[in-house]
Amino acid sequence: MTMQSQIREHMPVKCADGNNHGEVDKVDGDYIKLTKDNSGTHHWLPLSAVDHVDEHVHLKLSHEQVHQQWLSEDPHPEHRQ
């Protein structure tokens, strides 16, 4: 089973520091799309940032790195209208 296939909707996403960074909305190509945050914004993180998956999605990134690397705009131009 690949790491990507282990990621499920609504799994909590944690950085390497143990902080929560939202929940999985879905796997979107090479990215994890997170559910909307309190301001109503989706964020995307590359699957390459995932360290391992258990009941959470654990990232290789620190809290600060997550905020530097996540995208607030859909990385797939074909999805933007």
Coordinates of all heavy atoms in Angstrom, one line a residue:
M1 N 0.9 -1.2 0.0 CA 0.0 0.0 0.0 C 0.9 1.2 0.0 O 1.8 1.4 0.8 CB -0.9 0.0 1.2 CG -1.8 1.1 1.3 SD -2.9 1.1 2.8 CE -4.1 -0.1 2.3
T2 N 0.6 2.1 -0.9 CA 1.4 3.4 -1.0 C 1.0 4.4 0.1 O -0.1 4.3 0.6 CB 1.3 4.0 -2.4 OG1 0.0 4.5 -2.5 CG2 1.7 3.1 -3.5
M3 N 1.9 5.3 0.4 CA 1.6 6.3 1.4 C 0.4 7.1 0.9 O -0.5 7.4 1.7 CB 2.8 7.2 1.6 CG 2.7 8.0 2.9 SD 4.1 8.9 3.4 CE 5.4 8.5 2.3
Q4 N 0.3 7.4 -0.4 CA -0.7 8.2 -0.9 C -2.1 7.5 -0.7 O -3.1 8.2 -0.4 CB -0.5 8.5 -2.4 CG -1.5 9.4 -3.0 CD -1.2 9.7 -4.5 OE1 -0.1 9.5 -4.9 NE2 -2.1 10.2 -5.2
S5 N -2.1 6.2 -0.9 CA -3.4 5.5 -0.8 C -3.8 5.3 0.7 O -5.0 5.0 1.0 CB -3.3 4.1 -1.4 OG -2.4 3.3 -0.7
Q6 N -2.9 5.6 1.6 CA -3.3 5.5 3.1 C -3.9 6.8 3.6 O -4.5 6.8 4.6 CB -2.0 5.3 3.9 CG -1.4 3.9 3.7 CD -0.1 3.8 4.4 OE1 0.7 4.7 4.5 NE2 0.1 2.6 5.0
I7 N -3.8 7.9 2.8 CA -4.3 9.2 3.2 C -5.8 9.2 2.9 O -6.2 9.0 1.8 CB -3.6 10.3 2.5 CG1 -2.1 10.3 2.9 CG2 -4.2 11.7 2.9 CD1 -1.2 11.3 2.1
R8 N -6.6 9.5 4.0 CA -8.0 9.5 3.9 C -8.6 10.9 4.2 O -8.0 11.7 5.0 CB -8.6 8.5 4.8 CG -8.2 7.1 4.6 CD -9.0 6.4 3.5 NE -8.5 5.1 3.3 CZ -8.0 4.7 2.1 NH1 -7.9 5.5 1.1 NH2 -7.6 3.5 2.0
E9 N -9.8 11.2 3.8 CA -10.5 12.4 4.1 C -10.6 12.6 5.6 O -10.8 11.6 6.3 CB -11.9 12.5 3.5 CG -11.9 12.6 2.0 CD -13.3 12.7 1.5 OE1 -14.3 12.9 2.3 OE2 -13.5 12.6 0.2
H10 N -10.4 13.8 6.1 CA -10.6 14.2 7.4 C -9.5 13.7 8.4 O -9.6 13.8 9.6 CB -12.0 13.9 8.0 CG -13.0 14.5 7.1 ND1 -13.2 15.9 7.1 CD2 -13.9 14.0 6.3 CE1 -14.2 16.2 6.2 NE2 -14.7 15.0 5.7
M11 N -8.4 13.1 7.9 CA -7.3 12.8 8.7 C -6.6 14.1 9.2 O -6.4 14.9 8.4 CB -6.3 11.9 8.0 CG -6.7 10.5 7.7 SD -5.4 9.6 6.8 CE -4.7 8.8 8.2
P12 N -6.2 14.2 10.4 CA -5.5 15.3 10.9 C -4.1 15.3 10.3 O -3.5 14.3 10.1 CB -5.4 15.1 12.4 CG -6.5 14.1 12.7 CD -6.6 13.3 11.5
V13 N -3.6 16.6 10.0 CA -2.3 16.7 9.4 C -1.4 17.4 10.5 O -1.8 18.5 11.0 CB -2.3 17.6 8.1 CG1 -1.0 17.9 7.6 CG2 -3.2 16.9 7.1
K14 N -0.3 16.8 10.8 CA 0.6 17.3 11.8 C 2.0 17.6 11.2 O 2.5 16.8 10.5 CB 0.8 16.3 13.0 CG -0.5 16.1 13.8 CD -0.3 15.2 14.9 CE -1.5 15.1 15.8 NZ -1.3 15.9 17.0
C15 N 2.6 18.7 11.7 CA 4.0 19.0 11.3 C 5.0 18.2 12.1 O 4.6 17.5 13.1 CB 4.2 20.5 11.3 SG 4.3 21.2 13.0
A16 N 6.2 18.3 11.8 CA 7.3 17.6 12.5 C 7.4 18.1 14.0 O 7.9 17.4 14.8 CB 8.6 17.8 11.8
D17 N 6.9 19.3 14.3 CA 6.8 19.8 15.6 C 5.6 19.3 16.4 O 5.5 19.6 17.6 CB 6.8 21.3 15.6 CG 8.0 22.0 14.9 OD1 9.1 21.4 14.9 OD2 7.8 23.0 14.2
G18 N 4.7 18.6 15.8 CA 3.6 18.0 16.5 C 2.3 18.9 16.4 O 1.3 18.6 17.0
N19 N 2.4 20.1 15.8 CA 1.3 21.0 15.7 C 0.3 20.5 14.6 O 0.7 20.0 13.6 CB 1.7 22.4 15.3 CG 2.6 23.0 16.4 OD1 2.2 22.9 17.6 ND2 3.7 23.6 16.1
N20 N -1.0 20.8 14.8 CA -2.0 20.4 13.8 C -2.0 21.5 12.8 O -1.9 22.7 13.0 CB -3.4 20.4 14.5 CG -3.5 19.1 15.3 OD1 -3.1 18.0 14.9 ND2 -4.1 19.2 16.5
H21 N -2.2 21.1 11.5 CA -2.3 22.0 10.4 C -3.5 21.8 9.6 O -3.5 21.9 8.3 CB -1.0 21.9 9.5 CG 0.1 22.6 10.2 ND1 0.4 23.9 10.2 CD2 1.1 22.0 11.0 CE1 1.4 24.2 10.9 NE2 1.9 23.1 11.4
G22 N -4.6 21.3 10.2 CA -5.8 21.1 9.5 C -6.1 19.7 9.3 O -5.5 18.8 9.9
E23 N -7.1 19.4 8.4 CA -7.5 18.1 8.0 C -7.4 17.9 6.5 O -7.6 18.9 5.8 CB -8.9 17.8 8.5 CG -9.0 17.7 10.0 CD -10.4 17.3 10.5 OE1 -11.3 17.3 9.6 OE2 -10.6 17.1 11.7
V24 N -7.3 16.7 6.1 CA -7.3 16.3 4.7 C -8.7 16.5 4.1 O -9.6 16.0 4.6 CB -6.8 14.9 4.4 CG1 -6.9 14.5 3.0 CG2 -5.4 14.7 5.0
D25 N -8.8 17.3 3.0 CA -10.0 17.3 2.2 C -10.0 16.2 1.2 O -10.9 15.4 1.1 CB -10.1 18.7 1.5 CG -11.4 18.9 0.8 OD1 -12.5 18.5 1.4 OD2 -11.4 19.4 -0.3
K26 N -8.8 16.1 0.5 CA -8.6 15.0 -0.4 C -7.2 15.0 -0.9 O -6.4 16.0 -0.8 CB -9.6 15.1 -1.6 CG -9.3 16.3 -2.5 CD -10.3 16.3 -3.7 CE -10.0 17.5 -4.6 NZ -10.9 17.5 -5.8
V27 N -6.7 13.9 -1.6 CA -5.5 13.9 -2.3 C -5.8 14.5 -3.7 O -6.7 14.0 -4.3 CB -4.9 12.5 -2.4 CG1 -3.6 12.5 -3.2 CG2 -4.6 12.0 -1.0
D28 N -5.1 15.5 -4.1 CA -5.3 16.2 -5.3 C -4.1 16.2 -6.2 O -3.2 17.0 -6.1 CB -5.7 17.6 -4.9 CG -6.2 18.4 -6.1 OD1 -6.6 17.9 -7.2 OD2 -6.3 19.7 -6.0
G29 N -3.9 15.1 -7.0 CA -2.7 14.9 -7.8 C -1.5 14.6 -6.9 O -1.5 13.7 -6.1
D30 N -0.5 15.5 -7.0 CA 0.7 15.4 -6.1 C 0.6 16.2 -4.9 O 1.7 16.5 -4.3 CB 1.9 15.8 -6.9 CG 2.3 14.8 -8.1 OD1 1.9 13.6 -8.0 OD2 2.9 15.2 -9.1
Y31 N -0.6 16.6 -4.5 CA -0.8 17.5 -3.3 C -1.8 16.9 -2.4 O -2.7 16.2 -2.8 CB -1.2 18.9 -3.8 CG -0.2 19.6 -4.5 CD1 0.0 19.5 -5.9 CD2 0.7 20.5 -3.8 CE1 1.0 20.2 -6.6 CE2 1.7 21.2 -4.5 CZ 1.8 21.0 -5.9 OH 2.8 21.7 -6.5
I32 N -1.8 17.3 -1.2 CA -2.9 17.1 -0.2 C -3.6 18.4 -0.1 O -3.0 19.5 0.2 CB -2.3 16.7 1.2 CG1 -1.6 15.4 1.1 CG2 -3.5 16.6 2.2 CD1 -0.8 15.1 2.4
K33 N -4.9 18.4 -0.4 CA -5.7 19.6 -0.3 C -6.3 19.5 1.1 O -6.9 18.5 1.5 CB -6.8 19.6 -1.3 CG -7.8 20.8 -1.2 CD -8.8 20.7 -2.3 CE -9.8 21.9 -2.3 NZ -10.8 21.7 -3.3
L34 N -6.1 20.6 1.9 CA -6.6 20.6 3.3 C -8.0 21.2 3.3 O -8.4 22.0 2.4 CB -5.7 21.5 4.2 CG -4.3 21.0 4.3 CD1 -3.5 21.9 5.1 CD2 -4.2 19.6 4.8
T35 N -8.8 20.9 4.3 CA -10.2 21.5 4.4 C -10.0 23.0 4.7 O -8.9 23.4 5.1 CB -11.0 20.8 5.6 OG1 -10.2 20.9 6.8 CG2 -11.3 19.4 5.3
K36 N -11.0 23.7 4.4 CA -10.9 25.2 4.6 C -10.6 25.5 6.0 O -11.1 24.9 7.0 CB -12.3 25.8 4.2 CG -12.6 25.8 2.7 CD -13.9 26.5 2.4 CE -14.1 26.4 0.9 NZ -15.4 27.1 0.6
D37 N -9.7 26.6 6.2 CA -9.4 27.0 7.5 C -10.5 28.0 8.0 O -11.5 28.2 7.4 CB -8.0 27.7 7.5 CG -7.9 28.9 6.6 OD1 -8.9 29.5 6.2 OD2 -6.8 29.3 6.3
N38 N -10.2 28.6 9.1 CA -11.2 29.5 9.7 C -11.6 30.7 8.9 O -12.7 31.3 9.0 CB -10.8 30.0 11.1 CG -10.7 28.9 12.1 OD1 -11.4 27.8 12.0 ND2 -9.9 29.0 13.2
S39 N -10.7 31.1 8.0 CA -11.0 32.2 7.1 C -11.6 31.7 5.8 O -11.8 32.5 4.9 CB -9.7 33.0 6.8 OG -8.8 32.2 6.1
G40 N -11.9 30.4 5.6 CA -12.5 29.9 4.4 C -11.6 29.6 3.3 O -12.0 29.5 2.1
T41 N -10.3 29.4 3.6 CA -9.3 29.2 2.5 C -8.8 27.7 2.6 O -8.5 27.2 3.6 CB -8.1 30.1 2.8 OG1 -8.6 31.5 2.8 CG2 -7.0 29.9 1.7
H42 N -8.7 27.1 1.4 CA -8.1 25.8 1.3 C -6.6 26.1 1.2 O -6.1 27.1 0.7 CB -8.5 25.1 0.0 CG -9.9 24.5 0.1 ND1 -10.2 23.4 0.8 CD2 -11.0 24.9 -0.5 CE1 -11.4 23.1 0.6 NE2 -12.0 23.9 -0.2
H43 N -5.8 25.1 1.6 CA -4.3 25.1 1.4 C -3.9 23.8 0.8 O -4.6 22.7 1.0 CB -3.6 25.3 2.7 CG -3.9 26.7 3.3 ND1 -3.3 27.8 2.9 CD2 -4.6 27.0 4.4 CE1 -3.7 28.8 3.6 NE2 -4.6 28.4 4.5
W44 N -2.8 23.7 0.1 CA -2.3 22.5 -0.5 C -0.9 22.3 -0.1 O -0.1 23.3 0.0 CB -2.3 22.6 -2.1 CG -3.6 22.5 -2.7 CD1 -4.2 21.5 -3.3 CD2 -4.6 23.6 -2.8 NE1 -5.4 21.7 -3.8 CE2 -5.7 23.0 -3.5 CE3 -4.7 24.9 -2.4 CZ2 -6.9 23.8 -3.8 CZ3 -5.8 25.7 -2.7 CH2 -6.9 25.1 -3.4
L45 N -0.5 21.1 0.2 CA 0.8 20.7 0.6 C 1.3 19.6 -0.3 O 0.5 18.7 -0.6 CB 0.9 20.2 2.0 CG 0.8 21.3 3.1 CD1 0.4 20.7 4.5 CD2 2.1 22.1 3.2
P46 N 2.5 19.6 -0.8 CA 3.0 18.6 -1.7 C 3.1 17.2 -0.9 O 3.4 17.2 0.2 CB 4.4 19.0 -2.1 CG 4.8 20.0 -1.0 CD 3.6 20.6 -0.5
L47 N 2.7 16.2 -1.6 CA 2.9 14.8 -1.0 C 4.3 14.5 -0.6 O 4.5 13.7 0.3 CB 2.4 13.8 -2.0 CG 0.8 13.7 -2.2 CD1 0.5 12.7 -3.3 CD2 0.2 13.1 -0.9
S48 N 5.3 15.2 -1.3 CA 6.7 14.9 -0.9 C 7.0 15.4 0.5 O 8.0 15.1 1.0 CB 7.6 15.6 -1.9 OG 7.3 17.0 -1.9
A49 N 6.1 16.2 1.1 CA 6.3 16.7 2.5 C 5.9 15.7 3.5 O 6.1 15.9 4.7 CB 5.6 18.0 2.7
V50 N 5.2 14.6 3.1 CA 4.7 13.6 4.0 C 5.8 12.7 4.5 O 6.6 12.1 3.6 CB 3.6 12.8 3.4 CG1 3.1 11.7 4.3 CG2 2.4 13.7 3.0
D51 N 6.0 12.5 5.8 CA 7.0 11.6 6.3 C 6.4 10.2 6.5 O 7.0 9.3 6.0 CB 7.4 12.1 7.7 CG 8.5 11.2 8.3 OD1 9.6 11.1 7.7 OD2 8.2 10.7 9.4
H52 N 5.2 10.1 7.1 CA 4.5 8.9 7.3 C 3.1 9.1 7.6 O 2.7 10.2 7.9 CB 5.2 8.0 8.3 CG 5.1 8.5 9.7 ND1 5.9 9.5 10.2 CD2 4.3 8.1 10.8 CE1 5.6 9.7 11.5 NE2 4.6 8.9 11.8
V53 N 2.3 8.0 7.5 CA 0.9 8.1 7.7 C 0.5 7.0 8.7 O 0.9 5.8 8.6 CB 0.1 7.9 6.4 CG1 -1.4 7.9 6.7 CG2 0.5 8.9 5.4
D54 N -0.2 7.3 9.8 CA -0.8 6.4 10.7 C -2.3 6.9 10.8 O -3.0 7.0 9.8 CB -0.1 6.2 12.0 CG 0.3 7.5 12.7 OD1 -0.4 8.5 12.5 OD2 1.3 7.5 13.5
E55 N -2.7 7.2 12.0 CA -4.0 7.8 12.2 C -4.0 9.3 11.8 O -5.0 10.0 11.7 CB -4.7 7.6 13.5 CG -3.9 8.3 14.7 CD -2.8 7.5 15.3 OE1 -2.5 6.4 14.8 OE2 -2.2 7.9 16.2
H56 N -2.8 9.8 11.6 CA -2.5 11.2 11.2 C -1.6 11.2 10.0 O -1.0 10.2 9.7 CB -1.8 12.0 12.3 CG -2.5 12.0 13.6 ND1 -2.2 11.1 14.6 CD2 -3.4 12.8 14.1 CE1 -2.9 11.4 15.6 NE2 -3.7 12.4 15.3
V57 N -1.6 12.3 9.3 CA -0.6 12.5 8.2 C 0.5 13.3 8.8 O 0.3 14.4 9.3 CB -1.2 13.3 7.0 CG1 -0.2 13.6 6.0 CG2 -2.4 12.5 6.4
H58 N 1.7 12.7 8.9 CA 2.8 13.4 9.6 C 3.7 13.9 8.5 O 4.1 13.2 7.6 CB 3.6 12.3 10.4 CG 2.8 11.8 11.6 ND1 2.8 12.4 12.8 CD2 2.0 10.7 11.6 CE1 2.0 11.6 13.6 NE2 1.5 10.6 12.9
L59 N 4.0 15.2 8.7 CA 4.9 15.9 7.7 C 6.3 15.9 8.1 O 6.6 15.9 9.3 CB 4.4 17.4 7.5 CG 2.9 17.5 7.1 CD1 2.5 19.0 7.1 CD2 2.7 16.9 5.7
K60 N 7.2 16.1 7.2 CA 8.7 16.2 7.4 C 9.0 17.7 7.8 O 10.1 18.0 8.2 CB 9.5 15.9 6.2 CG 9.3 14.5 5.6 CD 10.0 14.4 4.3 CE 9.6 13.1 3.6 NZ 10.2 13.0 2.3
L61 N 8.0 18.6 7.6 CA 8.2 20.0 7.7 C 8.0 20.5 9.2 O 7.0 20.0 9.8 CB 7.3 20.8 6.8 CG 7.4 20.3 5.3 CD1 6.3 21.1 4.5 CD2 8.8 20.6 4.7
S62 N 8.7 21.5 9.6 CA 8.4 22.2 10.9 C 7.2 23.1 10.7 O 6.8 23.3 9.6 CB 9.6 23.0 11.3 OG 9.8 24.1 10.4
H63 N 6.7 23.6 11.8 CA 5.6 24.5 11.8 C 5.8 25.7 10.8 O 5.0 26.0 10.0 CB 5.3 25.0 13.2 CG 4.1 25.9 13.3 ND1 2.8 25.5 13.3 CD2 4.1 27.2 13.4 CE1 2.0 26.5 13.4 NE2 2.8 27.6 13.5
E64 N 7.0 26.3 11.0 CA 7.3 27.4 10.1 C 7.4 27.0 8.6 O 7.0 27.7 7.8 CB 8.7 28.0 10.6 CG 9.1 29.3 9.8 CD 10.3 29.9 10.4 OE1 10.5 30.0 11.6 OE2 11.2 30.3 9.6
Q65 N 8.1 25.9 8.4 CA 8.2 25.4 7.0 C 6.8 25.2 6.3 O 6.7 25.4 5.1 CB 9.1 24.2 6.9 CG 10.5 24.4 7.2 CD 11.3 23.1 7.4 OE1 10.8 22.1 8.0 NE2 12.5 23.1 6.8
V66 N 5.9 24.6 7.1 CA 4.6 24.4 6.6 C 4.0 25.7 6.1 O 3.5 25.8 4.9 CB 3.6 23.7 7.6 CG1 2.2 23.7 7.1 CG2 4.1 22.3 7.9
H67 N 4.0 26.7 6.9 CA 3.5 28.0 6.5 C 4.2 28.7 5.3 O 3.6 29.4 4.6 CB 3.4 28.9 7.7 CG 2.3 28.5 8.7 ND1 1.0 28.8 8.5 CD2 2.3 27.8 9.8 CE1 0.2 28.3 9.5 NE2 1.0 27.6 10.2
Q68 N 5.5 28.3 5.2 CA 6.2 28.9 4.0 C 5.9 28.1 2.8 O 5.9 28.7 1.7 CB 7.7 28.8 4.3 CG 8.2 29.7 5.4 CD 9.7 29.4 5.7 OE1 10.3 28.4 5.4 NE2 10.3 30.3 6.5
Q69 N 5.6 26.8 2.9 CA 5.5 26.0 1.7 C 4.1 25.7 1.2 O 3.9 25.3 0.1 CB 6.2 24.7 1.9 CG 7.7 24.9 2.0 CD 8.5 23.6 1.9 OE1 8.1 22.6 1.4 NE2 9.7 23.6 2.5
W70 N 3.1 25.9 2.1 CA 1.7 25.5 1.6 C 1.2 26.6 0.6 O 1.6 27.7 0.7 CB 0.8 25.2 2.7 CG 0.3 26.3 3.7 CD1 0.5 27.6 3.6 CD2 -0.5 26.1 4.8 NE1 -0.1 28.3 4.6 CE2 -0.7 27.4 5.4 CE3 -1.0 25.0 5.4 CZ2 -1.4 27.5 6.6 CZ3 -1.8 25.2 6.6 CH2 -2.0 26.4 7.1
L71 N 0.4 26.1 -0.3 CA -0.1 27.0 -1.3 C -1.6 27.4 -0.9 O -2.3 26.5 -0.4 CB -0.1 26.3 -2.6 CG 1.2 25.8 -3.1 CD1 1.0 25.0 -4.4 CD2 2.2 26.9 -3.3
S72 N -1.9 28.6 -1.2 CA -3.3 29.1 -0.9 C -4.1 29.2 -2.2 O -5.3 29.6 -2.2 CB -3.3 30.4 -0.2 OG -2.7 30.2 1.1
E73 N -3.5 28.8 -3.3 CA -4.2 28.8 -4.6 C -4.0 27.4 -5.2 O -2.9 26.8 -5.1 CB -3.6 29.8 -5.5 CG -4.3 30.0 -6.8 CD -3.8 31.1 -7.6 OE1 -3.8 32.3 -7.1 OE2 -3.3 30.9 -8.8
D74 N -5.1 26.9 -5.8 CA -5.0 25.6 -6.4 C -3.8 25.5 -7.4 O -3.6 26.3 -8.3 CB -6.3 25.3 -7.2 CG -6.5 23.9 -7.6 OD1 -5.5 23.2 -7.9 OD2 -7.7 23.5 -7.8
P75 N -2.9 24.5 -7.1 CA -1.7 24.3 -8.0 C -2.0 23.8 -9.4 O -1.1 23.7 -10.2 CB -0.9 23.4 -7.2 CG -1.8 22.6 -6.4 CD -3.0 23.5 -6.1
H76 N -3.2 23.5 -9.6 CA -3.6 22.9 -10.9 C -4.3 24.0 -11.8 O -5.5 24.2 -11.5 CB -4.5 21.7 -10.8 CG -3.9 20.6 -9.9 ND1 -4.2 20.5 -8.6 CD2 -2.9 19.7 -10.2 CE1 -3.4 19.5 -8.1 NE2 -2.7 19.0 -9.0
P77 N -3.7 24.6 -12.7 CA -4.3 25.7 -13.5 C -5.6 25.3 -14.2 O -6.5 26.1 -14.3 CB -3.3 26.0 -14.6 CG -2.0 25.4 -14.1 CD -2.3 24.3 -13.2
E78 N -5.7 24.0 -14.5 CA -7.0 23.5 -15.2 C -8.2 23.5 -14.2 O -9.3 23.5 -14.7 CB -6.8 22.1 -15.8 CG -6.5 21.0 -14.8 CD -5.1 20.8 -14.4 OE1 -4.2 21.7 -14.6 OE2 -4.8 19.8 -13.8
H79 N -7.9 23.6 -12.9 CA -9.0 23.7 -12.0 C -9.5 25.1 -11.7 O -10.6 25.3 -11.2 CB -8.6 23.1 -10.6 CG -8.3 21.6 -10.7 ND1 -7.7 21.0 -9.6 CD2 -8.5 20.7 -11.6 CE1 -7.5 19.7 -9.9 NE2 -8.0 19.5 -11.1
R80 N -8.7 26.1 -12.1 CA -9.0 27.5 -11.9 C -9.9 28.0 -13.0 O -9.6 27.8 -14.2 CB -7.8 28.3 -11.8 CG -6.9 28.0 -10.6 CD -5.8 28.9 -10.5 NE -4.6 28.1 -10.2 CZ -3.4 28.3 -10.7 NH1 -3.2 29.2 -11.5 NH2 -2.4 27.5 -10.3
Q81 N -11.0 28.6 -12.7 CA -11.9 29.2 -13.7 C -12.2 30.6 -13.4 O -12.4 31.0 -12.3 CB -13.2 28.4 -13.7 CG -13.0 27.0 -14.2 CD -12.7 26.9 -15.7 OE1 -13.0 27.7 -16.5 NE2 -12.0 25.8 -16.0

